[in-house]
Every structure is written in C-alpha cells, then in structure tokens.
Amino acid sequence: MGLGVAECFAAAGIRVRLTDATPQLSREAKERLVQRARGHAKAGLLSAEAAGRAESVEAADDAPGAARDADLVFEAVPEDLELKREILAACSDAGPPEAVIVSNTSSLPMDELARSVVRPERFLGTHWFNPPEWTPGVEVIPAAATDPEVVERVMAFLKGIGKRPAIVGDGPGFVANRIQNALFLEALRCVEEGLASPREVDEVVRSCFGFRLPFFGPFQIADMAGLDVYVSVLETLKEGLGERFEVPAVLRELVEQGRTGTKSGSGFLEYSDEERERLLLERDRRYVALNELLDRLPPVEAGRDGGNS
Ligand SMILES: NC(=O)c1ccc[n+]([C@@H]2O[C@H](COP(=O)([O-])OP(=O)(O)OC[C@H]3O[C@@H](n4cnc5c(N)ncnc54)[C@H](O)[C@@H]3O)[C@@H](O)[C@H]2O)c1
C-alpha cells in the first residue's frame, strides 16, 4: 500500500521521501518503486515523464529521517495498533510541528491512534484501496481531535492528485469495508445455500446491479428503482430470510410521505422534472458507454469453480 501511494504522489510531481523497517529495506523499497513505475510506463499505464519522477524519490534510513521537514507524513506500516502508535509518535516528534500526519488504516480506531501524535489536531486517518495508484476512492477519517481545517487541506490535496475522497466517521470498518463485507457475506450465503456458484454470483453482481456502480451509489439507484418497490422486495426478503432484511423506518416513512424516488420528484434526494429527465438520459448514455468499454475490455476470465462451491 505504501509503495503504491508513494508512486501515486511521485507521479503527481510531489517530492517524496520513503522509509521501511531498516535502511536496507528502505533502499530496496526505493528500487522496487522505480521498477514498478517503469513497468507501469511500459504497459502504457503511466506517462514516461510521470514514471521518471519515481527516480527522484529519496530513501530515508528510518521514520524520523523521513519525517524531517515533511509537509505531510503518510504512515502505512502493518495493521498493528502498537506499531502504528510507535511510528506516528516518532514521526510527529521528529517532523515539523505543522506537518500533517496521516495514518493509512483499514480498521484501527482513530482516537487511539491520535493519542500517540504530538499535536493531534493535525492528525487524521485515510483508507485507500488497492491498487492505490489507480483506485480513485479514499475514505478520510478525522479523529475527535482533528482540526477541520486540516481535513479540508487533506481533501484538497487528494482531489489535487486526482483522487475522489469522502469524509466518513470512525465506526467499525468505516463505510467501504462495512458495505463491502455486507455484500460479501450475502454472496457467500447464496453459495452456501446452493443458489449459485461463486462464478455465477460474481457474474450476477458484476453484470446486474454492479454494472451501475461506477456511476451511482445505493441511494440514487434506490431512488431510480422506486422506494416503494424496495419496501415490497425487502418485505419478501424478510419473510424468507429473517430480521436482517427488516424495512428500515426511514425507508417506510419516505414511502408513506409519497417520496418514492425520481418518479415522484423526491426520495433520498430531490429531483426537478428537468433534473430527472437529464439524470435518466445521462444514465443511459453512461450504460451504453460502459457496454462499449466492456466489449473492448471484457471481464478477466481467470479462475474456475471448484473447492467449496
Ligand atoms: N493491503 C491492502 O489492500 C490495504 C488496503 C487498505 C488499507 N491497508 C492498510 O494499509 C496499511 C499497510 O498495509 P499493507 O497491506 O501495505 O501492509 P504490508 O505488510 O504489505 O506493508 C507494510 C510495510 O511496512 C513496513 N514496516 C514494518 N514495520 C515497520 C517499521 N517499524 N518502520 C517502517 N516500516 C515498517 C514493512 O516492511 C512493509 O514494507 C495497513 O494498516 C493496512 O490495514 C491495506
């Protein structure tokens, strides 16, 4: 993760100094970064100029050496609270007092991490997604002590290098892992119950509702489908599969108020007649374009059903 983020920063023209657990590993990491960027350029994924910037990345012997005179410290050591706390403390102590300190974590509580930072108002968490060079989404997780101005600066920085960050709260798994794992658990249940094989489930997810996800999230998709339809479907799911499909009160209330989505002019979001027409037309344009892209770049056919399926 750290190497991918370093490549991303370097390609964007940011001066980067990286480090690893030992001076030798730090030098090797720099070498791997250069090779990785060259490989990306060779594959046509990165311009030669952007890839060449990886060569000017410096390797520091240790974390304090990397943090000295940094504007932004980005920690991506393994997901171990004590190790992260130790590295964050060392970096925040060694670096300039105004340097922003970021921890990349999939799940660790932000306030626990913030406690180890000198001047924790300049600390926050981010959650990037693999591969970080290409995945635009980044969850930005402020701690209770984080200065809102620091959050704004990090958001602007991430947008400036082409990312699509979103600020989320410090709940278990933040937002992305929580939703991704809810999907994964239900997918696994479908396989366990013999409804479909892993490959068939993957096809259904990718080609049915997943086809919409590059453009729309669950709320806009629900608005376009009709919230009344969602209530009916959830009632059937609850009858067959139990309490976890209970219709949430907020959804029932929206439907009772006649706010059934785009068709009524409001659901989770509000739509004028003109906005609704434009939304549906733009949706169709994007789906046609996505189908064309999939014709050119079809899903990777790798892996066969077997094992426990
Ligand atoms: N792998 C993912 O898909 C992913 C996705 C999102 C977030 N994350 C988070 O990013 C963080 C890093 O994950 P990863 O998968 O890259 O881990 P990793 O184990 O692949 O890499 C961690 C790096 O930290 C180095 N390291 C270990 N101890 C160190 C020390 N004392 N000082 C300096 N460097 C040290 C290791 O040598 C290694 O290069 C974790 O918190 C993880 O939860 C990972």
Side-chain angles (χ1 to χ4, degrees):
M1 187 49 72
L3 215 54
V5 172
E7 182 182 352
C8 183
F9 288 173
I14 293 159
R15 198 177 144 221
V16 176
R17 193 182 296 132
L18 58 72
T19 192
D20 207 299
T22 67
Q24 175 65 19
L25 282 174
S26 303
R27 285 190 291 277
E28 287 171 13
K30 151 81 196 276
E31 208 29 59
R32 275 192 291 139
L33 176 61
V34 170
Q35 295 307 330
R36 178 179 172 131
R38 277 190 196 142
H40 286 150
K42 200 169 162 206
L45 306 179
L46 201 59
S47 73
E49 190 192 356
R53 293 192 193 116
E55 281 165 43
S56 57
V57 167
E58 295 168 43
D61 283 351
D62 53 23
R68 89 185 143 77
D69 76 13
D71 296 317
L72 172 79
V73 173
F74 186 88
E75 168 276 308
V77 298
E79 191 82 336
D80 171 321
L81 182 61
E82 281 319 308
L83 176 61
K84 280 194 185 288
R85 284 169 57 94
E86 183 194 315
I87 298 294
L88 290 170
C91 290
S92 63
D93 199 31
E98 65 282 4
V100 171
I101 312 277
V102 172
S103 174
N104 191 58
T105 173
S106 310
S107 62
L108 295 175
M110 234 25 85
D111 292 340
E112 287 289 316
L113 293 169
R115 264 197 277 284
S116 58
V117 174
V118 184
R119 295 190 61 241
E121 60 274 19
R122 62 191 170 139
F123 168 79
L124 51 69
T126 62
H127 180 209
W128 293 54
F129 293 81
N130 247 328
E133 309 91 300
W134 319 122
T135 311
V138 179
E139 291 183 296
V140 172
I141 313 113
T146 310
D147 181 345
E149 197 254 325
V150 169
V151 180
E152 270 176 43
R153 276 169 58 202
V154 170
M155 291 291 286
F157 168 73
L158 290 170
K159 286 178 190 169
I161 60 167
K163 295 297 173 189
R164 300 181 66 90
I167 301 169
V168 303
D170 188 13
F174 314 130
V175 170
N177 263 336
R178 183 164 160 181
I179 295 176
Q180 182 168 261
N181 281 286
L183 168 74
F184 177 65
L185 287 179
E186 217 50 62
L188 198 50
R189 288 183 188 119
C190 289
V191 172
E192 279 177 342
E193 291 170 24
L195 294 177
S197 70
R199 277 181 68 94
E200 285 161 338
V201 170
D202 278 357
E203 184 66 51
V204 168
V205 170
R206 196 173 58 217
S207 303
C208 300
F209 65 88
F211 180 80
R212 303 160 171 158
L213 294 178
F215 307 108
F216 303 106
F219 291 105
Q220 234 175 347
I221 289 172
D223 274 357
M224 284 189 278
L227 302 188
D228 49 336
V229 179
Y230 264 48
V231 168
S232 305
V233 172
L234 282 170
E235 281 168 347
T236 305
L237 288 170
K238 186 191 165 193
E239 210 178 300
L241 296 169
E243 296 298 316
R244 69 182 188 276
F245 287 100
E246 177 75 52
V247 178
V250 63
L251 182 59
R252 212 177 268 291
E253 277 161 27
L254 284 171
V255 172
E256 279 164 9
Q257 291 161 11
R259 297 176 57 184
T260 51
T262 49
K263 63 188 169 191
S264 71
S266 79
F268 285 103
L269 305 175
E270 305 279 330
Y271 311 86
S272 66
D273 287 349
E274 191 211 323
E275 277 171 338
R276 180 183 54 224
E277 292 314 308
R278 199 177 50 199
L279 170 67
L280 298 181
L281 178 62
E282 291 302 328
R283 173 197 68 184
D284 292 351
R285 283 206 171 109
R286 279 158 181 73
Y287 290 175
V288 169
L290 183 54
N291 266 320
E292 285 167 5
L293 178 67
L294 288 171
D295 283 344
R296 273 189 287 128
L297 291 174
V300 181
E301 294 293 341
R304 274 159 283 109
D305 279 327
N308 294 325
S309 66

